[in-house]
Amino acid sequence: MEEERGKETQILTIPFRGQGHINPMLQLSKLLASKRLKVTLVTTISTPLTTQGSAETTSIKIEAISDGFDAGVTLQNYDEYIERFRVVFPQSLAKLVEKLAYSASPVKFIVYDLHIPWMLDVARGFGLDGAPFFTRCSAVNAVYYHVHHGALEFPVKGSVVSLPSMPPLGFDHLPSFISEPGSYPSFLNSISNQFSNIHEPKWTLCNTFLELEDEVVNSMASECPIKTIGPTIPSIYLDKRLQNDNGYGLSLFKPKTETCKTWLDSKEINSVVYVSSGSLATLGEEQMVEMAWGLKRSNFFFLWVVRESEFEKLPKNFLEETSEKGLVVSWSPQLEVLAHKSVRCFLTHCGWNSKLEALSLGVPMVAMPQWTDQTTNAKFIEDV
Ligand code: UDP
């Protein structure tokens, strides 16, 4: 996009709430900014973000606007949230677009998260254009796409599903919103909507790369104009394209950076199992206890991320009994951990970002999927 009459082009990037959505959108924003575009990443006041590390984040502007839930959101009021978000967020966005219209960099384009497909109409209402950013893998996009268009009968029958350009998927490898539709009806509905206008935008951006998923990307490309722009990992860990890009830069949780670093530095090369379930997944109490004793009895040191909300599920005395062997933290600087020479493998919930990070840094994974796309990601980690 060219500069017009002394004005610079401004792009708004709009992630959905959640660390796994914010991180890739941040990286895309930094890349756009490196092409001499003005970029504002628009979050919501209800998303409690703190700035962490990356100097490159200063190349973009962060703007928090109202979604009607300024006091905070919980998974319990998710349905109510989605309804209100859809009404209030566009109103707040209109004010921002209006304000920028009189600045040196009026908004020309909106990149929005896959969970907000109606943003295309909102953008058009402002006289702008837009493109969706699919932050999960293309194989999972394809499964949902086939369900939406009826090529995959829903509810799914049979134990194995065959879809174009993909290995046969066992029932348990389907995303949990498909294999267990009753448990998350509103999520399933929202996912189906993601494909309601998929043929309209000029581009569909995907956080994947051709070498990883060429067959499925090429087969989906005949349905919509896919541009693969991943993996969206901070540059220092990948191609060093952006000089100061040494971390994502925004976090919902405060990482225990020094604690993790000092502890890992004290361990031998390849001696530590890193364990994390990401920002949302919760282990059942029994699963948590099994994990705890499994780690205790293993022959490895372990660094285990247990979010504060999960802490009470740890067995009594576990921390005391394993203090020689393990470190439990509420949040880690995950990329720094994965890049550390002491880390031998990653026991992961298979969130797409975690998977891309492990692949990019060459850390072997042990898959422990919990829900949503993690089950499909696990299948591909194991077999593909
Ligand atoms: N992450 C982190 N510290 C942690 C756990 C996770 O920085 O202790 C980051 C991780 O690097 C990844 C993101 O949080 O970029 C989680 O995204 P993912 O898609 O893996 O899982 P989600 O949280 O969406 O389930």
Side-chain angles (χ1 to χ4, degrees):
M1 276 169 239
E2 289 174 20
E3 293 175 17
E4 284 172 41
R5 282 169 272 134
K7 300 234 171 192
E8 289 174 303
T9 294
Q10 168 106 232
I11 297 189
L12 299 185
T13 53
I14 308 184
F16 194 60
R17 55 186 311 112
Q19 196 71 59
H21 293 266
I22 292 165
N23 287 356
M25 194 63 95
L26 260 172
Q27 290 311 115
L28 170 62
S29 304
K30 294 176 196 171
L31 287 169
L32 292 170
S34 75
K35 303 288 175 192
R36 298 182 53 223
L37 296 162
K38 285 272 168 200
V39 183
T40 299
L41 181 124
V42 186
T43 66
T44 63
I45 295 166
S46 66
T47 313
L49 288 168
T50 53
T51 313
Q52 302 292 337
S54 178
E56 191 60 37
T57 314
T58 53
S59 67
I60 58 175
K61 225 175 146 226
I62 314 285
E63 190 84 48
I65 64 175
S66 182
D67 54 10
F69 274 78
D70 295 353
V73 183
T74 63
L75 263 185
Q76 281 72 44
N77 58 18
Y78 187 77
D79 285 350
E80 194 194 335
Y81 175 75
I82 291 297
E83 249 176 61
R84 191 126 156 247
F85 174 71
R86 190 166 182 159
V87 175
V88 177
F89 190 80
Q91 293 166 356
S92 313
L93 194 64
K95 288 186 202 146
L96 177 63
V97 170
E98 173 79 7
K99 185 178 88 181
L100 292 170
Y102 299 104
S103 73
S105 14
V107 181
K108 289 281 168 58
F109 200 85
I110 296 183
V111 179
Y112 52 90
D113 186 279
L114 75 165
H115 281 289
I116 329 173
W118 42 263
M119 191 52 73
L120 185 62
D121 287 336
V122 172
R124 286 173 177 166
F126 299 149
L128 308 172
D129 203 356
F133 181 22
F134 279 65
T135 52
R136 58 182 178 228
C137 75
S138 291
V140 171
N141 290 336
V143 172
Y144 288 138
Y145 179 86
H146 292 308
V147 169
H148 180 76
H149 287 281
L152 175 57
E153 193 187 349
F154 183 79
V156 175
K157 295 187 186 75
S159 55
V160 177
V161 166
S162 292
L163 291 169
S165 313
M166 263 193 264
L169 294 178
F171 190 77
D172 291 343
H173 295 133
L174 291 168
S176 65
F177 299 146
I178 304 289
S179 59
E180 299 169 54
S183 7
Y184 321 99
S186 52
F187 282 98
L188 185 61
N189 194 22
S190 125
I191 281 160
S192 191
N193 285 337
Q194 290 161 13
F195 296 95
S196 55
N197 60 2
I198 195 69
H199 298 289
E200 293 182 36
K202 275 192 232 123
W203 305 285
T204 297
L205 309 176
C206 286
N207 184 17
T208 189
F209 53 103
L210 265 184
E211 291 79 356
L212 188 65
E213 297 194 282
D214 58 337
E215 285 183 51
V216 71
V217 168
N218 290 333
S219 89
M220 284 296 288
S222 59
E223 308 295 333
C224 55
I226 290 186
K227 296 263 177 234
T228 55
I229 59 155
T232 56
I233 310 289
S235 209
I236 196 171
Y237 296 102
L238 218 53
D239 53 13
K240 321 251 181 313
R241 204 164 8 158
L242 306 180
Q243 258 188 351
N244 298 317
D245 191 24
N246 51 3
Y248 288 110
L250 284 180
S251 186
L252 287 169
F253 308 91
K254 196 167 164 28
K256 305 286 186 237
T257 305
E258 273 316 306
T259 313
C260 291
K261 196 174 170 309
T262 310
W263 188 83
L264 286 172
D265 283 348
S266 73
K267 300 291 169 279
E268 280 175 23
I269 293 180
N270 282 340
S271 63
V272 175
V273 179
Y274 171 59
V275 188
S276 164
S277 311
S279 60
L280 273 177
T282 55
L283 301 191
E285 280 183 29
E286 202 179 326
Q287 216 179 0
M288 193 84 167
V289 171
E290 289 295 322
M291 171 69 83
W293 299 135
L295 288 171
K296 186 179 173 202
R297 287 179 198 153
S298 78
N299 289 323
F300 296 101
F301 291 108
F302 62 87
L303 169 51
W304 187 7
V305 178
V306 179
R307 297 190 314 275
E308 262 167 37
S309 53
E310 295 282 277
F311 222 76
E312 61 183 23
K313 293 184 202 161
L314 282 172
K316 226 169 141 236
N317 299 334
F318 175 75
L319 296 180
E320 294 77 9
E321 287 179 33
T322 56
S323 60
E324 300 278 298
K325 203 168 172 195
L327 176 68
V328 176
V329 291
S330 54
W331 196 248
S332 81
Q334 182 157 300
L335 279 162
E336 287 176 54
V337 170
L338 291 175
H340 199 284
K341 59 184 184 344
S342 304
V343 171
R344 170 137 179 192
C345 81
F346 182 14
L347 180 46
T348 171
H349 75 307
C350 307
W352 182 237
N353 293 286
S354 294
K355 178 171 165 181
L356 283 179
E357 290 161 8
L359 283 174
S360 300
L361 277 84
V363 181
M365 286 170 270
V366 176
M368 190 188 57
Q370 298 300 308
W371 69 322
T372 173
D373 57 347
Q374 296 153 18
T375 33
T376 318
N377 293 341
K379 155 77 181 170
F380 280 76
I381 289 174
E382 221 178 303
D383 293 344
V384 185

